[in-house]
Amino acid sequence: MPPGDSGWTWLDHAAASSHGDDAVQLLSRQAARLFATPDGEAVLHHLKSMTIDRCLGPESGDNALRHLEGQRHLVLHLLALAARGRTGM
């Protein structure tokens, strides 16, 4: 791996290149509208409490840590997508 490469940078490039700018803007606006509703806010709160606000103990295995980090990445991606949509609305 090159210096400074966490091994996950390929994921960022794949997501960015698989959709055009217009499609990403549309998806961002859709996510912002979806999560702006009371139901959407409740779902995001639940996802955050299960992932971002959760800590694993020192006895947790490598697989559990990696699984939780993957879940956190997905929730943070949804939050970023909705935030991007709110600024573009």
Side-chain angles (χ1 to χ4, degrees), residues 1-7 9:
M1 257 187 294
D5 185 356
S6 64
T9 54

Side-chain angles (χ1 to χ4, degrees), residues 2-3 6 12 28 30 33-34 36 38-39 43 47 51 61 65 70 82 84-85:
S6 64
D12 294 332
S28 297
Q30 290 168 329
R33 285 193 304 270
L34 173 68
D39 288 341
V43 168
L47 291 173
T51 59
L65 293 169
R84 189 178 316 131

Side-chain angles (χ1 to χ4, degrees), residues 28-70:
S28 297
R29 288 192 301 271
Q30 290 168 329
R33 285 193 304 270
L34 173 68
F35 294 124
T37 66
D39 288 341
E41 288 177 0
V43 168
L44 278 181
H45 177 75
H46 176 70
L47 291 173
K48 286 172 61 177
S49 70
M50 288 177 47
T51 59
I52 297 168
D53 299 337
R54 182 173 166 215
C55 297
L56 296 180
E59 73 284 348
S60 300
D62 188 54
N63 288 341
L65 293 169
R66 290 178 186 273
H67 184 69
L68 182 57
E69 283 307 307

